[in-house]
Amino acid sequence: MKILVINGPNLNLLGLREPQYYGSETYADLCEKIHAHAQKTGVEVAFFQSNHEGAIVDEIQAAYRVYDAIVINPAAYTHTSIAILDAFKSVKIPAVEVHISDLSKRESFRQFSYLRDYCLAVIIGHGTDGYCEAMDLLRERLG
Ligand code: DQA
């Protein structure tokens, strides 16, 4: 099974940005953790991070017939991007949405997700472990 992990804007600054919400692990630490989990569970994994909405749309389109599933943390685009939702609806790749912080305890503008209804599940507030949980869920449902 091939899974693509997409991270949206500012997640390249993990470790630096608002550690009270996102913890002290860096983006490199996150990729290492996911990679180790993928190896342990027999999943092939690839990573993409961008601060640009269109680049994320391009990556979702390019994933068509290449990846079996996508784990995505759209970051701030969660709350704004119809384009990312439309890309998923076009390629129909199964996806799980992940958020590191507990959005239910944060600002009202973070309570809405355009992508939520498309996704098989949304994992919120489990820190970076949420990405591994998302991969397990996809493996169980699709594997
Ligand atoms: C986030 C939550 C978003 O509201 C925020 O814009 C992010 C990260 C999370 O992982 O908790 O950049 O998606």
PDB file of all heavy atoms in Angstrom, residues 37-77:
ATOM      1  N   HIS A  37       7.093   4.179  11.356  1.00  0.00           N
ATOM      2  CA  HIS A  37       5.810   3.493  11.520  1.00  0.00           C
ATOM      3  C   HIS A  37       5.418   2.777  10.223  1.00  0.00           C
ATOM      4  O   HIS A  37       4.913   1.649  10.255  1.00  0.00           O
ATOM      5  CB  HIS A  37       4.734   4.492  11.932  1.00  0.00           C
ATOM      6  CG  HIS A  37       3.448   3.846  12.314  1.00  0.00           C
ATOM      7  ND1 HIS A  37       3.278   3.158  13.496  1.00  0.00           N
ATOM      8  CD2 HIS A  37       2.250   3.746  11.646  1.00  0.00           C
ATOM      9  CE1 HIS A  37       2.046   2.684  13.551  1.00  0.00           C
ATOM     10  NE2 HIS A  37       1.411   3.027  12.447  1.00  0.00           N
ATOM     11  N   ALA A  38       5.673   3.428   9.111  1.00  0.00           N
ATOM     12  CA  ALA A  38       5.346   2.833   7.806  1.00  0.00           C
ATOM     13  C   ALA A  38       6.157   1.554   7.589  1.00  0.00           C
ATOM     14  O   ALA A  38       5.621   0.530   7.142  1.00  0.00           O
ATOM     15  CB  ALA A  38       5.623   3.849   6.696  1.00  0.00           C
ATOM     16  N   GLN A  39       7.427   1.612   7.927  1.00  0.00           N
ATOM     17  CA  GLN A  39       8.286   0.430   7.752  1.00  0.00           C
ATOM     18  C   GLN A  39       7.796  -0.724   8.610  1.00  0.00           C
ATOM     19  O   GLN A  39       7.741  -1.870   8.165  1.00  0.00           O
ATOM     20  CB  GLN A  39       9.714   0.787   8.119  1.00  0.00           C
ATOM     21  CG  GLN A  39      10.452   1.474   6.971  1.00  0.00           C
ATOM     22  CD  GLN A  39      11.946   1.457   7.156  1.00  0.00           C
ATOM     23  OE1 GLN A  39      12.422   1.602   8.286  1.00  0.00           O
ATOM     24  NE2 GLN A  39      12.677   1.300   6.072  1.00  0.00           N
ATOM     25  N   LYS A  40       7.434  -0.404   9.856  1.00  0.00           N
ATOM     26  CA  LYS A  40       6.969  -1.418  10.809  1.00  0.00           C
ATOM     27  C   LYS A  40       5.678  -2.080  10.331  1.00  0.00           C
ATOM     28  O   LYS A  40       5.444  -3.259  10.575  1.00  0.00           O
ATOM     29  CB  LYS A  40       6.725  -0.730  12.162  1.00  0.00           C
ATOM     30  CG  LYS A  40       6.873  -1.625  13.364  1.00  0.00           C
ATOM     31  CD  LYS A  40       6.898  -0.847  14.669  1.00  0.00           C
ATOM     32  CE  LYS A  40       5.583  -0.136  14.937  1.00  0.00           C
ATOM     33  NZ  LYS A  40       5.621   0.766  16.091  1.00  0.00           N
ATOM     34  N   THR A  41       4.844  -1.315   9.628  1.00  0.00           N
ATOM     35  CA  THR A  41       3.528  -1.834   9.239  1.00  0.00           C
ATOM     36  C   THR A  41       3.459  -2.205   7.749  1.00  0.00           C
ATOM     37  O   THR A  41       2.379  -2.505   7.238  1.00  0.00           O
ATOM     38  CB  THR A  41       2.424  -0.783   9.570  1.00  0.00           C
ATOM     39  OG1 THR A  41       2.774   0.468   8.964  1.00  0.00           O
ATOM     40  CG2 THR A  41       2.280  -0.593  11.067  1.00  0.00           C
ATOM     41  N   GLY A  42       4.589  -2.147   7.075  1.00  0.00           N
ATOM     42  CA  GLY A  42       4.649  -2.590   5.680  1.00  0.00           C
ATOM     43  C   GLY A  42       3.968  -1.657   4.694  1.00  0.00           C
ATOM     44  O   GLY A  42       3.410  -2.094   3.683  1.00  0.00           O
ATOM     45  N   VAL A  43       4.022  -0.362   4.994  1.00  0.00           N
ATOM     46  CA  VAL A  43       3.418   0.628   4.093  1.00  0.00           C
ATOM     47  C   VAL A  43       4.529   1.425   3.416  1.00  0.00           C
ATOM     48  O   VAL A  43       5.555   1.720   4.016  1.00  0.00           O
ATOM     49  CB  VAL A  43       2.506   1.586   4.919  1.00  0.00           C
ATOM     50  CG1 VAL A  43       2.110   2.805   4.113  1.00  0.00           C
ATOM     51  CG2 VAL A  43       1.278   0.854   5.427  1.00  0.00           C
ATOM     52  N   GLU A  44       4.297   1.758   2.151  1.00  0.00           N
ATOM     53  CA  GLU A  44       5.230   2.628   1.441  1.00  0.00           C
ATOM     54  C   GLU A  44       4.738   4.066   1.624  1.00  0.00           C
ATOM     55  O   GLU A  44       3.556   4.333   1.372  1.00  0.00           O
ATOM     56  CB  GLU A  44       5.194   2.263  -0.043  1.00  0.00           C
ATOM     57  CG  GLU A  44       6.498   2.482  -0.781  1.00  0.00           C
ATOM     58  CD  GLU A  44       6.354   2.029  -2.229  1.00  0.00           C
ATOM     59  OE1 GLU A  44       6.015   0.851  -2.446  1.00  0.00           O
ATOM     60  OE2 GLU A  44       6.550   2.869  -3.111  1.00  0.00           O
ATOM     61  N   VAL A  45       5.635   4.941   2.054  1.00  0.00           N
ATOM     62  CA  VAL A  45       5.169   6.291   2.356  1.00  0.00           C
ATOM     63  C   VAL A  45       6.026   7.349   1.655  1.00  0.00           C
ATOM     64  O   VAL A  45       7.226   7.162   1.464  1.00  0.00           O
ATOM     65  CB  VAL A  45       5.128   6.507   3.899  1.00  0.00           C
ATOM     66  CG1 VAL A  45       6.510   6.710   4.480  1.00  0.00           C
ATOM     67  CG2 VAL A  45       4.223   7.657   4.280  1.00  0.00           C
ATOM     68  N   ALA A  46       5.352   8.445   1.245  1.00  0.00           N
ATOM     69  CA  ALA A  46       6.070   9.581   0.646  1.00  0.00           C
ATOM     70  C   ALA A  46       5.544  10.857   1.292  1.00  0.00           C
ATOM     71  O   ALA A  46       4.422  10.875   1.826  1.00  0.00           O
ATOM     72  CB  ALA A  46       5.835   9.613  -0.855  1.00  0.00           C
ATOM     73  N   PHE A  47       6.358  11.910   1.226  1.00  0.00           N
ATOM     74  CA  PHE A  47       6.017  13.147   1.932  1.00  0.00           C
ATOM     75  C   PHE A  47       5.973  14.339   0.985  1.00  0.00           C
ATOM     76  O   PHE A  47       6.771  14.427   0.053  1.00  0.00           O
ATOM     77  CB  PHE A  47       7.065  13.438   3.014  1.00  0.00           C
ATOM     78  CG  PHE A  47       7.154  12.342   4.043  1.00  0.00           C
ATOM     79  CD1 PHE A  47       8.117  11.346   3.925  1.00  0.00           C
ATOM     80  CD2 PHE A  47       6.270  12.293   5.106  1.00  0.00           C
ATOM     81  CE1 PHE A  47       8.188  10.321   4.853  1.00  0.00           C
ATOM     82  CE2 PHE A  47       6.331  11.281   6.040  1.00  0.00           C
ATOM     83  CZ  PHE A  47       7.301  10.291   5.911  1.00  0.00           C
ATOM     84  N   PHE A  48       5.048  15.242   1.289  1.00  0.00           N
ATOM     85  CA  PHE A  48       4.992  16.512   0.556  1.00  0.00           C
ATOM     86  C   PHE A  48       4.560  17.592   1.538  1.00  0.00           C
ATOM     87  O   PHE A  48       3.596  17.415   2.283  1.00  0.00           O
ATOM     88  CB  PHE A  48       3.997  16.432  -0.601  1.00  0.00           C
ATOM     89  CG  PHE A  48       3.901  17.702  -1.387  1.00  0.00           C
ATOM     90  CD1 PHE A  48       4.880  18.046  -2.303  1.00  0.00           C
ATOM     91  CD2 PHE A  48       2.831  18.570  -1.212  1.00  0.00           C
ATOM     92  CE1 PHE A  48       4.809  19.232  -3.033  1.00  0.00           C
ATOM     93  CE2 PHE A  48       2.743  19.756  -1.930  1.00  0.00           C
ATOM     94  CZ  PHE A  48       3.742  20.083  -2.842  1.00  0.00           C
ATOM     95  N   GLN A  49       5.298  18.697   1.541  1.00  0.00           N
ATOM     96  CA  GLN A  49       4.890  19.857   2.355  1.00  0.00           C
ATOM     97  C   GLN A  49       4.972  21.092   1.477  1.00  0.00           C
ATOM     98  O   GLN A  49       5.922  21.278   0.722  1.00  0.00           O
ATOM     99  CB  GLN A  49       5.815  20.011   3.584  1.00  0.00           C
ATOM    100  CG  GLN A  49       5.344  21.050   4.617  1.00  0.00           C
ATOM    101  CD  GLN A  49       5.681  22.495   4.243  1.00  0.00           C
ATOM    102  OE1 GLN A  49       6.706  22.758   3.622  1.00  0.00           O
ATOM    103  NE2 GLN A  49       4.807  23.424   4.601  1.00  0.00           N
ATOM    104  N   SER A  50       3.953  21.953   1.581  1.00  0.00           N
ATOM    105  CA  SER A  50       4.008  23.218   0.841  1.00  0.00           C
ATOM    106  C   SER A  50       3.248  24.291   1.597  1.00  0.00           C
ATOM    107  O   SER A  50       2.273  24.012   2.302  1.00  0.00           O
ATOM    108  CB  SER A  50       3.416  23.054  -0.552  1.00  0.00           C
ATOM    109  OG  SER A  50       3.437  24.317  -1.212  1.00  0.00           O
ATOM    110  N   ASN A  51       3.716  25.515   1.392  1.00  0.00           N
ATOM    111  CA  ASN A  51       3.026  26.677   1.948  1.00  0.00           C
ATOM    112  C   ASN A  51       2.056  27.281   0.936  1.00  0.00           C
ATOM    113  O   ASN A  51       1.470  28.333   1.189  1.00  0.00           O
ATOM    114  CB  ASN A  51       4.052  27.726   2.385  1.00  0.00           C
ATOM    115  CG  ASN A  51       4.939  27.200   3.507  1.00  0.00           C
ATOM    116  OD1 ASN A  51       4.473  26.462   4.371  1.00  0.00           O
ATOM    117  ND2 ASN A  51       6.219  27.550   3.495  1.00  0.00           N
ATOM    118  N   HIS A  52       1.899  26.602  -0.216  1.00  0.00           N
ATOM    119  CA  HIS A  52       1.129  27.168  -1.326  1.00  0.00           C
ATOM    120  C   HIS A  52      -0.062  26.278  -1.697  1.00  0.00           C
ATOM    121  O   HIS A  52       0.117  25.091  -1.998  1.00  0.00           O
ATOM    122  CB  HIS A  52       2.043  27.359  -2.542  1.00  0.00           C
ATOM    123  CG  HIS A  52       3.243  28.203  -2.216  1.00  0.00           C
ATOM    124  ND1 HIS A  52       3.197  29.577  -2.196  1.00  0.00           N
ATOM    125  CD2 HIS A  52       4.491  27.856  -1.820  1.00  0.00           C
ATOM    126  CE1 HIS A  52       4.379  30.042  -1.829  1.00  0.00           C
ATOM    127  NE2 HIS A  52       5.176  29.022  -1.589  1.00  0.00           N
ATOM    128  N   GLU A  53      -1.225  26.859  -1.713  1.00  0.00           N
ATOM    129  CA  GLU A  53      -2.456  26.109  -1.981  1.00  0.00           C
ATOM    130  C   GLU A  53      -2.406  25.392  -3.332  1.00  0.00           C
ATOM    131  O   GLU A  53      -2.731  24.214  -3.445  1.00  0.00           O
ATOM    132  CB  GLU A  53      -3.648  27.080  -1.924  1.00  0.00           C
ATOM    133  CG  GLU A  53      -4.994  26.409  -2.089  1.00  0.00           C
ATOM    134  CD  GLU A  53      -6.140  27.408  -1.938  1.00  0.00           C
ATOM    135  OE1 GLU A  53      -5.895  28.639  -2.031  1.00  0.00           O
ATOM    136  OE2 GLU A  53      -7.279  26.962  -1.723  1.00  0.00           O
ATOM    137  N   GLY A  54      -1.989  26.127  -4.386  1.00  0.00           N
ATOM    138  CA  GLY A  54      -1.955  25.534  -5.723  1.00  0.00           C
ATOM    139  C   GLY A  54      -0.990  24.363  -5.822  1.00  0.00           C
ATOM    140  O   GLY A  54      -1.261  23.389  -6.544  1.00  0.00           O
ATOM    141  N   ALA A  55       0.111  24.455  -5.097  1.00  0.00           N
ATOM    142  CA  ALA A  55       1.093  23.356  -5.112  1.00  0.00           C
ATOM    143  C   ALA A  55       0.483  22.105  -4.474  1.00  0.00           C
ATOM    144  O   ALA A  55       0.753  20.973  -4.914  1.00  0.00           O
ATOM    145  CB  ALA A  55       2.357  23.772  -4.377  1.00  0.00           C
ATOM    146  N   ILE A  56      -0.339  22.313  -3.466  1.00  0.00           N
ATOM    147  CA  ILE A  56      -1.007  21.171  -2.812  1.00  0.00           C
ATOM    148  C   ILE A  56      -2.042  20.564  -3.762  1.00  0.00           C
ATOM    149  O   ILE A  56      -2.149  19.346  -3.897  1.00  0.00           O
ATOM    150  CB  ILE A  56      -1.631  21.610  -1.459  1.00  0.00           C
ATOM    151  CG1 ILE A  56      -0.500  22.011  -0.494  1.00  0.00           C
ATOM    152  CG2 ILE A  56      -2.479  20.487  -0.859  1.00  0.00           C
ATOM    153  CD1 ILE A  56      -0.969  22.683   0.783  1.00  0.00           C
ATOM    154  N   VAL A  57      -2.774  21.416  -4.460  1.00  0.00           N
ATOM    155  CA  VAL A  57      -3.737  20.941  -5.468  1.00  0.00           C
ATOM    156  C   VAL A  57      -2.996  20.135  -6.542  1.00  0.00           C
ATOM    157  O   VAL A  57      -3.418  19.035  -6.913  1.00  0.00           O
ATOM    158  CB  VAL A  57      -4.508  22.131  -6.101  1.00  0.00           C
ATOM    159  CG1 VAL A  57      -5.297  21.683  -7.322  1.00  0.00           C
ATOM    160  CG2 VAL A  57      -5.433  22.775  -5.070  1.00  0.00           C
ATOM    161  N   ASP A  58      -1.875  20.667  -7.039  1.00  0.00           N
ATOM    162  CA  ASP A  58      -1.075  19.951  -8.056  1.00  0.00           C
ATOM    163  C   ASP A  58      -0.649  18.578  -7.539  1.00  0.00           C
ATOM    164  O   ASP A  58      -0.680  17.590  -8.274  1.00  0.00           O
ATOM    165  CB  ASP A  58       0.189  20.754  -8.409  1.00  0.00           C
ATOM    166  CG  ASP A  58      -0.115  21.976  -9.259  1.00  0.00           C
ATOM    167  OD1 ASP A  58      -1.220  22.067  -9.822  1.00  0.00           O
ATOM    168  OD2 ASP A  58       0.772  22.859  -9.351  1.00  0.00           O
ATOM    169  N   GLU A  59      -0.235  18.525  -6.286  1.00  0.00           N
ATOM    170  CA  GLU A  59       0.261  17.264  -5.713  1.00  0.00           C
ATOM    171  C   GLU A  59      -0.869  16.234  -5.589  1.00  0.00           C
ATOM    172  O   GLU A  59      -0.663  15.050  -5.855  1.00  0.00           O
ATOM    173  CB  GLU A  59       0.892  17.546  -4.338  1.00  0.00           C
ATOM    174  CG  GLU A  59       1.637  16.382  -3.729  1.00  0.00           C
ATOM    175  CD  GLU A  59       2.920  16.002  -4.464  1.00  0.00           C
ATOM    176  OE1 GLU A  59       3.410  16.804  -5.293  1.00  0.00           O
ATOM    177  OE2 GLU A  59       3.426  14.889  -4.207  1.00  0.00           O
ATOM    178  N   ILE A  60      -2.053  16.689  -5.200  1.00  0.00           N
ATOM    179  CA  ILE A  60      -3.211  15.773  -5.100  1.00  0.00           C
ATOM    180  C   ILE A  60      -3.561  15.249  -6.492  1.00  0.00           C
ATOM    181  O   ILE A  60      -3.809  14.057  -6.682  1.00  0.00           O
ATOM    182  CB  ILE A  60      -4.416  16.492  -4.438  1.00  0.00           C
ATOM    183  CG1 ILE A  60      -4.088  16.830  -2.978  1.00  0.00           C
ATOM    184  CG2 ILE A  60      -5.680  15.624  -4.515  1.00  0.00           C
ATOM    185  CD1 ILE A  60      -5.012  17.868  -2.356  1.00  0.00           C
ATOM    186  N   GLN A  61      -3.535  16.119  -7.488  1.00  0.00           N
ATOM    187  CA  GLN A  61      -3.816  15.678  -8.868  1.00  0.00           C
ATOM    188  C   GLN A  61      -2.765  14.666  -9.334  1.00  0.00           C
ATOM    189  O   GLN A  61      -3.090  13.657  -9.952  1.00  0.00           O
ATOM    190  CB  GLN A  61      -3.833  16.872  -9.817  1.00  0.00           C
ATOM    191  CG  GLN A  61      -5.032  17.787  -9.607  1.00  0.00           C
ATOM    192  CD  GLN A  61      -5.097  18.895 -10.655  1.00  0.00           C
ATOM    193  OE1 GLN A  61      -4.323  18.918 -11.604  1.00  0.00           O
ATOM    194  NE2 GLN A  61      -6.023  19.814 -10.480  1.00  0.00           N
ATOM    195  N   ALA A  62      -1.496  14.948  -9.012  1.00  0.00           N
ATOM    196  CA  ALA A  62      -0.403  14.058  -9.452  1.00  0.00           C
ATOM    197  C   ALA A  62      -0.455  12.711  -8.736  1.00  0.00           C
ATOM    198  O   ALA A  62       0.151  11.735  -9.201  1.00  0.00           O
ATOM    199  CB  ALA A  62       0.946  14.738  -9.205  1.00  0.00           C
ATOM    200  N   ALA A  63      -1.172  12.645  -7.622  1.00  0.00           N
ATOM    201  CA  ALA A  63      -1.262  11.394  -6.853  1.00  0.00           C
ATOM    202  C   ALA A  63      -2.218  10.384  -7.503  1.00  0.00           C
ATOM    203  O   ALA A  63      -2.228   9.209  -7.140  1.00  0.00           O
ATOM    204  CB  ALA A  63      -1.718  11.702  -5.429  1.00  0.00           C
ATOM    205  N   TYR A  64      -2.995  10.858  -8.477  1.00  0.00           N
ATOM    206  CA  TYR A  64      -3.984   9.990  -9.145  1.00  0.00           C
ATOM    207  C   TYR A  64      -3.299   8.771  -9.770  1.00  0.00           C
ATOM    208  O   TYR A  64      -2.341   8.914 -10.529  1.00  0.00           O
ATOM    209  CB  TYR A  64      -4.707  10.802 -10.221  1.00  0.00           C
ATOM    210  CG  TYR A  64      -5.795  10.062 -10.951  1.00  0.00           C
ATOM    211  CD1 TYR A  64      -6.901   9.557 -10.274  1.00  0.00           C
ATOM    212  CD2 TYR A  64      -5.718   9.865 -12.327  1.00  0.00           C
ATOM    213  CE1 TYR A  64      -7.902   8.876 -10.936  1.00  0.00           C
ATOM    214  CE2 TYR A  64      -6.721   9.192 -13.011  1.00  0.00           C
ATOM    215  CZ  TYR A  64      -7.817   8.693 -12.296  1.00  0.00           C
ATOM    216  OH  TYR A  64      -8.801   8.012 -12.968  1.00  0.00           O
ATOM    217  N   ARG A  65      -3.746   7.598  -9.395  1.00  0.00           N
ATOM    218  CA  ARG A  65      -3.212   6.310  -9.885  1.00  0.00           C
ATOM    219  C   ARG A  65      -1.765   6.068  -9.457  1.00  0.00           C
ATOM    220  O   ARG A  65      -1.089   5.209 -10.032  1.00  0.00           O
ATOM    221  CB  ARG A  65      -3.344   6.193 -11.400  1.00  0.00           C
ATOM    222  CG  ARG A  65      -4.801   6.066 -11.805  1.00  0.00           C
ATOM    223  CD  ARG A  65      -4.936   5.672 -13.256  1.00  0.00           C
ATOM    224  NE  ARG A  65      -6.307   5.285 -13.546  1.00  0.00           N
ATOM    225  CZ  ARG A  65      -6.869   5.346 -14.741  1.00  0.00           C
ATOM    226  NH1 ARG A  65      -6.173   5.752 -15.776  1.00  0.00           N
ATOM    227  NH2 ARG A  65      -8.113   4.973 -14.916  1.00  0.00           N
ATOM    228  N   VAL A  66      -1.272   6.848  -8.525  1.00  0.00           N
ATOM    229  CA  VAL A  66       0.090   6.643  -8.005  1.00  0.00           C
ATOM    230  C   VAL A  66       0.011   6.184  -6.550  1.00  0.00           C
ATOM    231  O   VAL A  66       0.709   5.250  -6.158  1.00  0.00           O
ATOM    232  CB  VAL A  66       0.929   7.939  -8.106  1.00  0.00           C
ATOM    233  CG1 VAL A  66       2.316   7.734  -7.488  1.00  0.00           C
ATOM    234  CG2 VAL A  66       1.052   8.392  -9.563  1.00  0.00           C
ATOM    235  N   TYR A  67      -0.864   6.821  -5.771  1.00  0.00           N
ATOM    236  CA  TYR A  67      -1.004   6.485  -4.348  1.00  0.00           C
ATOM    237  C   TYR A  67      -2.384   5.891  -4.073  1.00  0.00           C
ATOM    238  O   TYR A  67      -3.371   6.260  -4.713  1.00  0.00           O
ATOM    239  CB  TYR A  67      -0.795   7.733  -3.475  1.00  0.00           C
ATOM    240  CG  TYR A  67       0.636   8.210  -3.550  1.00  0.00           C
ATOM    241  CD1 TYR A  67       0.985   9.248  -4.409  1.00  0.00           C
ATOM    242  CD2 TYR A  67       1.640   7.594  -2.800  1.00  0.00           C
ATOM    243  CE1 TYR A  67       2.302   9.671  -4.513  1.00  0.00           C
ATOM    244  CE2 TYR A  67       2.947   8.004  -2.898  1.00  0.00           C
ATOM    245  CZ  TYR A  67       3.278   9.037  -3.763  1.00  0.00           C
ATOM    246  OH  TYR A  67       4.580   9.443  -3.872  1.00  0.00           O
ATOM    247  N   ASP A  68      -2.421   4.976  -3.092  1.00  0.00           N
ATOM    248  CA  ASP A  68      -3.689   4.342  -2.711  1.00  0.00           C
ATOM    249  C   ASP A  68      -4.485   5.225  -1.760  1.00  0.00           C
ATOM    250  O   ASP A  68      -5.712   5.104  -1.675  1.00  0.00           O
ATOM    251  CB  ASP A  68      -3.411   2.999  -2.014  1.00  0.00           C
ATOM    252  CG  ASP A  68      -2.596   2.083  -2.895  1.00  0.00           C
ATOM    253  OD1 ASP A  68      -3.064   1.796  -4.020  1.00  0.00           O
ATOM    254  OD2 ASP A  68      -1.493   1.667  -2.485  1.00  0.00           O
ATOM    255  N   ALA A  69      -3.777   6.068  -1.016  1.00  0.00           N
ATOM    256  CA  ALA A  69      -4.459   6.884  -0.006  1.00  0.00           C
ATOM    257  C   ALA A  69      -3.579   8.081   0.352  1.00  0.00           C
ATOM    258  O   ALA A  69      -2.372   8.071   0.120  1.00  0.00           O
ATOM    259  CB  ALA A  69      -4.727   6.053   1.244  1.00  0.00           C
ATOM    260  N   ILE A  70      -4.233   9.076   0.948  1.00  0.00           N
ATOM    261  CA  ILE A  70      -3.513  10.288   1.356  1.00  0.00           C
ATOM    262  C   ILE A  70      -3.862  10.611   2.810  1.00  0.00           C
ATOM    263  O   ILE A  70      -5.040  10.554   3.208  1.00  0.00           O
ATOM    264  CB  ILE A  70      -3.884  11.483   0.448  1.00  0.00           C
ATOM    265  CG1 ILE A  70      -3.359  11.256  -0.976  1.00  0.00           C
ATOM    266  CG2 ILE A  70      -3.336  12.804   1.017  1.00  0.00           C
ATOM    267  CD1 ILE A  70      -3.721  12.348  -1.985  1.00  0.00           C
ATOM    268  N   VAL A  71      -2.827  10.917   3.584  1.00  0.00           N
ATOM    269  CA  VAL A  71      -3.008  11.506   4.917  1.00  0.00           C
ATOM    270  C   VAL A  71      -2.679  12.979   4.746  1.00  0.00           C
ATOM    271  O   VAL A  71      -1.604  13.324   4.251  1.00  0.00           O
ATOM    272  CB  VAL A  71      -2.053  10.861   5.947  1.00  0.00           C
ATOM    273  CG1 VAL A  71      -2.096  11.611   7.274  1.00  0.00           C
ATOM    274  CG2 VAL A  71      -2.400   9.383   6.143  1.00  0.00           C
ATOM    275  N   ILE A  72      -3.607  13.850   5.124  1.00  0.00           N
ATOM    276  CA  ILE A  72      -3.365  15.284   4.908  1.00  0.00           C
ATOM    277  C   ILE A  72      -3.656  16.106   6.156  1.00  0.00           C
ATOM    278  O   ILE A  72      -4.690  15.928   6.806  1.00  0.00           O
ATOM    279  CB  ILE A  72      -4.187  15.831   3.702  1.00  0.00           C
ATOM    280  CG1 ILE A  72      -3.854  17.316   3.465  1.00  0.00           C
ATOM    281  CG2 ILE A  72      -5.686  15.603   3.871  1.00  0.00           C
ATOM    282  CD1 ILE A  72      -4.274  17.855   2.110  1.00  0.00           C
ATOM    283  N   ASN A  73      -2.701  16.966   6.472  1.00  0.00           N
ATOM    284  CA  ASN A  73      -2.951  18.054   7.417  1.00  0.00           C
ATOM    285  C   ASN A  73      -2.917  19.325   6.578  1.00  0.00           C
ATOM    286  O   ASN A  73      -1.844  19.852   6.277  1.00  0.00           O
ATOM    287  CB  ASN A  73      -1.884  18.098   8.513  1.00  0.00           C
ATOM    288  CG  ASN A  73      -2.179  19.179   9.542  1.00  0.00           C
ATOM    289  OD1 ASN A  73      -3.001  20.066   9.296  1.00  0.00           O
ATOM    290  ND2 ASN A  73      -1.507  19.114  10.680  1.00  0.00           N
ATOM    291  N   PRO A  74      -4.093  19.827   6.174  1.00  0.00           N
ATOM    292  CA  PRO A  74      -4.103  21.003   5.293  1.00  0.00           C
ATOM    293  C   PRO A  74      -3.737  22.297   6.018  1.00  0.00           C
ATOM    294  O   PRO A  74      -3.699  23.362   5.401  1.00  0.00           O
ATOM    295  CB  PRO A  74      -5.555  21.069   4.797  1.00  0.00           C
ATOM    296  CG  PRO A  74      -6.238  19.828   5.299  1.00  0.00           C
ATOM    297  CD  PRO A  74      -5.450  19.346   6.464  1.00  0.00           C
ATOM    298  N   ALA A  75      -3.522  22.198   7.343  1.00  0.00           N
ATOM    299  CA  ALA A  75      -3.172  23.361   8.173  1.00  0.00           C
ATOM    300  C   ALA A  75      -4.223  24.459   7.978  1.00  0.00           C
ATOM    301  O   ALA A  75      -5.414  24.162   7.945  1.00  0.00           O
ATOM    302  CB  ALA A  75      -1.744  23.821   7.888  1.00  0.00           C
ATOM    303  N   ALA A  76      -3.804  25.711   7.781  1.00  0.00           N
ATOM    304  CA  ALA A  76      -4.784  26.801   7.697  1.00  0.00           C
ATOM    305  C   ALA A  76      -5.733  26.636   6.504  1.00  0.00           C
ATOM    306  O   ALA A  76      -6.874  27.116   6.542  1.00  0.00           O
ATOM    307  CB  ALA A  76      -4.054  28.138   7.610  1.00  0.00           C
ATOM    308  N   TYR A  77      -5.294  25.934   5.449  1.00  0.00           N
ATOM    309  CA  TYR A  77      -6.180  25.727   4.288  1.00  0.00           C
ATOM    310  C   TYR A  77      -7.380  24.848   4.620  1.00  0.00           C
ATOM    311  O   TYR A  77      -8.360  24.813   3.862  1.00  0.00           O
ATOM    312  CB  TYR A  77      -5.402  25.141   3.110  1.00  0.00           C
ATOM    313  CG  TYR A  77      -4.425  26.108   2.489  1.00  0.00           C
ATOM    314  CD1 TYR A  77      -3.151  25.695   2.106  1.00  0.00           C
ATOM    315  CD2 TYR A  77      -4.767  27.438   2.269  1.00  0.00           C
ATOM    316  CE1 TYR A  77      -2.250  26.582   1.546  1.00  0.00           C
ATOM    317  CE2 TYR A  77      -3.872  28.336   1.707  1.00  0.00           C
ATOM    318  CZ  TYR A  77      -2.616  27.896   1.342  1.00  0.00           C
ATOM    319  OH  TYR A  77      -1.727  28.784   0.779  1.00  0.00           O
TER     320      TYR A  77
END
